[in-house]
Amino acid sequence: MAYTCKICKQDLPSKNQLEKHKHDKHVSSVRIQDGTIVRRTPNGYPCPGCDKSRANPKTLATHLREHQLSCRPILDAVAAAVSGSPSPGSSESPAFGVSGSTSHGSSASPAVADPTSPSSCAPPAIAESTSPSSSASPIDAYLSDLEFDAPNDSDAWIFQGVDVSNKFYMFQQEAKRLAASGAMALETHAQHLLALSGILVLKPGRTHPDIHKHIDRVLCDQLCVDILMQAKIMDFKFPSETKVALEEMVDQLLRPVNPISRLAVAKTITSLMQGDDFSKSNRILLAIRSLVENLPKHIVGDGPQETELITRQLQPALGRLFEDIDNDIVLRWTSVSDDEKPTSMRPDASVNVLQGAAIGDRIGVGEVKPQYQALNHRAVQKDLVRVAHLAKRASDDSARSTIFSFLVVGDHMTVYLFQRQTSQLYTLVEVTHIQLPYTLGDIPAFLGQMTKIANVVSAFDYAVSANSHTHATHPHTLTDHQLQGIVDSRTSRKRKSVFSHYSH
């Protein structure tokens, strides 16, 4: 019995070989369950959830199960049919099924594919009108949806007499031209990539030189300071006498001879709390107490990997700083379980408002990388882009003007405020960069950063209480697939990120 390809009429000796023939000869793209179209590259099909590629749709579908995603192949013939041929559901459209035929030409009924299976061969609905065989370059296809509306006078962001919104619009045009040239890399061009989604990144002393052609370095730093002052981030001061008492207790805990117990320190910290609410000072004290109770004396092996880092080091500190249970604000480590969104855009951490037993608006997002990836600038910058995109989505979906954001890389955390400035412009502003404690012996250095810790808590509280914005439409957000399509897929440690706090 021969198996005949319905598209080219070639006979294959087995069903498996027919499937391989169709994947190799008649499929150049697949549709992910969230609607993303992934096209075949010289390296195969890139996964929208990580940096890996797979050789064919079947192996991609197997890999996508690790991300709780599925995909369906799209026939080249079906994709081309959009521009004029019969629709995929008509009798004249090519079906991605199997027809079995004898050598005498009699045929059996086509096999019916399960439409819910990740490896299903049923023809999907076609959302794009361009064929993979189009004469346009692959990068042009990725950029086709990127159009920027010129800012208008009624919606301008003016700072010190400078129209920042217009200057940023000019930088967006430059970023798109750079993307079209194929010269972008994640490590070096995160500023440009985020501009394609309408996001201006402001980090003190760490903005890309290309943005300075439009907004000079001094003005970038002044914008950063002004946004933080408007949010009153630096107004809160942790009581100095309480800080001294904490330092004395931790010194007694760490002394080599006759140290006091963790429990004794925890009880004394509790006695330092004022009132019965989750005030800024009380939350910082709760975080210090939790670190005293949970941190190990020594780093084990090569240091904690991501899961242990979250549960042992991060949750004791951040769970106290970034929650207000009395007001239904919770920090969730959603890398474990999150049904809110596709895995390709899932955050490691999400701060949400509870609505009874349901999860409400997302008001904060975070990403985590273990210490061994600190010098992997591609992975770190990818997480920064992800944090910004997640914050944008949260702002767009809930109409919140400010989203709290953070990125942890090993024992360092960078905190941001994401804000909607105009109808076409968002800012991602660095609040502070802080070293987190891994062991008990690191707590004194953590206490030495009390001003930064106070700023982090102030930024969080500002985001929680921020007003809503009134913008009904939102700029396009660069998809994961577009991101992978316009940046260099190769990783190079020689590329240095202007945003990185690691200079090695």
Side-chain angles (χ1 to χ4, degrees), residues 192-209:
H192 305 71
L193 291 165
L194 288 173
L196 296 178
S197 296
I199 302 168
L200 171 60
V201 183
L202 295 170
K203 295 168 71 78
R206 294 180 184 274
T207 42
H208 196 282

Side-chain angles (χ1 to χ4, degrees), residues 29-44:
S29 57
V30 299
R31 184 191 299 278
I32 309 301
Q33 69 185 45
D34 64 355
T36 299
I37 303 296
V38 174
R39 292 189 174 89
R40 184 169 57 198
T41 71
N43 295 324

Side-chain angles (χ1 to χ4, degrees), residues 151-153 155-159 161-168 215:
N152 56 66
D153 293 342
D155 192 36
W157 182 22
I158 308 296
F159 180 74
V162 177
D163 187 342
V164 177
S165 46
N166 186 61
K167 297 290 188 182
F168 179 68
I215 308 172

Side-chain angles (χ1 to χ4, degrees), residues 246-382:
L246 284 171
E247 291 170 338
E248 291 176 352
M249 282 185 289
V250 172
D251 284 344
Q252 294 178 52
L253 173 66
L254 296 175
R255 63 191 179 193
V257 179
N258 297 324
I260 61 175
S261 68
R262 294 180 189 241
L263 182 58
V265 174
K267 291 170 63 177
T268 306
I269 292 175
T270 303
S271 69
L272 295 175
M273 297 179 190
Q274 301 293 319
D276 56 0
D277 62 349
F278 286 102
S279 65
K280 292 182 178 70
S281 294
N282 283 350
R283 278 158 41 216
I284 292 174
L285 287 169
L286 283 170
I288 302 300
R289 188 184 72 180
S290 184
L291 291 170
V292 167
E293 293 169 342
N294 288 278
L295 289 183
K297 290 184 177 180
H298 307 284
I299 295 177
V300 178
D302 295 329
Q305 301 303 301
E306 186 168 328
T307 301
E308 184 184 359
L309 175 61
I310 289 172
T311 56
R312 176 62 64 182
Q313 274 84 12
L314 300 185
Q315 175 58 24
L318 306 189
R320 305 305 185 269
L321 298 178
F322 301 161
E323 280 192 340
D324 187 348
I325 299 296
D326 285 347
N327 290 308
D328 297 325
I329 308 296
V330 294
L331 170 66
R332 306 164 58 233
W333 295 104
T334 51
S335 58
V336 178
S337 176
D338 188 358
D339 295 326
E340 297 172 67
K341 60 200 311 304
T343 305
S344 63
M345 285 293 288
R346 179 183 62 193
D348 289 331
S350 178
V351 181
N352 291 83
V353 180
L354 292 178
Q355 297 177 341
I359 298 296
D361 289 345
R362 177 174 286 159
I363 61 176
V365 295
E367 286 289 319
V368 177
K369 281 280 181 287
Q371 186 66 43
Y372 78 89
Q373 289 193 335
L375 297 181
N376 184 341
H377 296 301
R378 179 183 177 86
V380 173
Q381 295 311 301
K382 185 176 181 179

Side-chain angles (χ1 to χ4, degrees), residues 42-188:
N43 295 324
Y45 293 89
C47 171
C50 64
D51 291 328
K52 297 178 181 178
S53 293
R54 289 296 181 263
N56 57 56
K58 187 174 182 179
T59 54
L60 177 65
T62 301
H63 169 74
L64 286 173
R65 293 190 190 112
E66 299 176 9
H67 300 291
Q68 291 79 51
L69 290 172
S70 62
C71 72
R72 300 174 68 187
I74 300 177
L75 282 173
D76 293 346
V78 174
V82 175
S83 60
S85 298
S87 65
S90 73
S91 60
E92 295 180 45
S93 64
F96 202 178
V98 177
S99 68
S101 64
T102 65
S103 58
H104 300 290
S106 62
S107 62
S109 300
V112 179
D114 177 7
T116 63
S117 170
S119 58
S120 170
C121 293
I126 305 301
E128 297 193 356
S129 60
T130 57
S131 167
S133 61
S134 167
S135 60
S137 72
I139 291 181
D140 287 341
Y142 294 120
L143 296 174
S144 61
D145 292 335
L146 291 178
E147 295 295 337
F148 310 116
D149 294 334
N152 56 66
D153 293 342
S154 63
D155 192 36
W157 182 22
I158 308 296
F159 180 74
Q160 295 185 1
V162 177
D163 187 342
V164 177
S165 46
N166 186 61
K167 297 290 188 182
F168 179 68
Y169 172 72
M170 295 168 64
F171 175 63
Q172 285 182 299
Q173 303 299 324
E174 180 180 343
K176 185 174 180 179
R177 289 192 294 271
L178 183 65
S181 73
M184 275 196 180
L186 261 171
E187 299 93 326
T188 52

